[in-house]
Amino acid sequence: DFYNIPTTVLSQVDSSIGGKTAVDFMGYKNLVGAFCQPSMVICDSNTLKTLPNDTLLDGVAEVIKCGMIRDNELFEKMGGDFSKNIEDIIAACITIKSQVVASDEFDRGERQLLNFGHIGHAIEKCSNFSITHGHAVSIGMVIITKAAEGLGLCKSGISDTLRHTIQKCGLPISCKFSADELYRVTLSDKKRAGDSVTLIVPEKIGNCVLHKVKTDELLEYIEKGL
Ligand code: GLY
């Protein structure tokens, strides 16, 4: 048995919940691991008081992600001064994550929604991990939302709203890497299944869906989103 005592926003709202345990290997994120649920998770918001700003922002990106995939109200809170409500916000994210994991512990369906913005993994790798996870996920969410909008998969205006919220929080919305670079790195990601990859696209704010595409279509998505 083990307990998780997460001390960052990112780990409190996401990685401490759901039993994914993994390590980076051969330059790839979380390549080797196993599912093993903690017996208990203890989140103490006092531990967040001394976080460096960039570390705090990594978690803010995860909260925005959580709002985008499941909770419009949570997303809207991130457009205002959320710092006073941080405990409620963390609790809302934990509730959503627990529900998602309870319905799909082993990541075969619904849990993949949590991969929204995970083109960010390619951004992390291309930057040699100088761009940290939440910052990369922010850019990844913008890329995939803009692409989804361009391809008519979601209502227009969503990518502007997302971009505005991300920027307001102090997170990045673009990177210097080319579509081709991101495409090649994404193809080597563990989440690829044969000749297809499952993208997570928003239909509207507060609701994302799984969208399977052929690997050779992925380049078009990245190009449209950059
Ligand atoms: N951090 C994504 C997941 O737990 O599935």
Side-chain angles (χ1 to χ4, degrees):
D1 286 2
F2 70 102
Y3 299 160
N4 275 339
I5 308 179
T7 56
T8 62
V9 178
L10 187 148
S11 55
Q12 292 193 356
V13 301
D14 185 48
S15 48
S16 67
I17 318 283
K20 267 191 189 172
T21 65
V23 292
D24 301 344
F25 185 59
M26 310 240 307
Y28 290 94
K29 288 268 300 178
N30 300 338
L31 195 63
V32 182
F35 290 94
C36 182
Q37 297 300 335
S39 305
M40 182 160 59
V41 179
I42 302 171
C43 296
D44 180 350
S45 57
N46 282 316
T47 63
L48 310 176
K49 288 182 181 155
T50 51
L51 289 180
N53 193 46
D54 268 346
T55 310
L56 190 76
L57 287 178
D58 276 325
V60 167
E62 292 291 334
V63 176
I64 295 173
K65 183 187 86 177
C66 204
M68 281 294 290
I69 64 176
R70 269 280 177 277
D71 187 339
N72 182 27
E73 262 177 49
L74 176 62
F75 178 86
E76 279 172 5
K77 279 186 190 145
M78 301 314 284
D81 177 14
F82 55 83
S83 55
K84 293 190 187 71
N85 298 325
I86 197 73
E87 279 192 15
D88 291 344
I89 284 170
I90 289 172
C93 292
I94 292 173
T95 304
I96 292 169
K97 173 122 194 204
S98 315
Q99 286 166 349
V100 169
V101 171
S103 74
D104 175 25
E105 184 179 356
F106 298 111
D107 215 3
R108 299 197 175 106
E110 189 183 351
R111 186 166 181 167
Q112 291 173 29
L113 291 174
L114 300 167
N115 296 339
F116 179 52
H118 272 198
I119 282 181
H121 280 175
I123 297 169
E124 284 178 82
K125 180 148 173 64
C126 285
S127 77
N128 212 10
F129 297 97
S130 65
I131 301 180
T132 52
H133 187 63
H135 289 66
V137 164
S138 293
I139 302 165
M141 290 192 287
V142 170
I143 292 175
I144 199 65
T145 303
K146 189 170 165 217
E149 206 175 306
L151 291 160
L153 299 170
C154 64
K155 284 208 284 191
S156 66
I158 294 183
S159 63
D160 276 348
T161 308
L162 174 64
R163 227 189 334 253
H164 178 77
T165 300
I166 286 176
Q167 267 185 313
K168 190 160 186 286
C169 291
L171 283 156
I173 55 165
S174 61
C175 64
K176 61 177 188 184
F177 307 112
S178 69
D180 202 50
E181 282 172 289
L182 296 178
Y183 173 66
R184 274 187 281 117
V185 175
T186 303
L187 283 190
S188 49
D189 192 87
K190 69 183 188 306
K191 292 193 176 87
R192 175 179 149 193
D195 68 347
S196 67
V197 26
T198 301
L199 299 177
I200 313 307
V201 297
E203 284 190 333
K204 57 182 184 179
I205 289 171
N207 189 40
C208 285
V209 293
L210 308 187
H211 184 71
K212 209 169 182 174
V213 299
K214 295 275 173 227
T215 44
D216 48 14
E217 291 171 74
L218 179 64
L219 181 60
E220 191 194 344
Y221 278 78
I222 300 175
E223 280 169 347
K224 275 212 160 19
L226 271 181

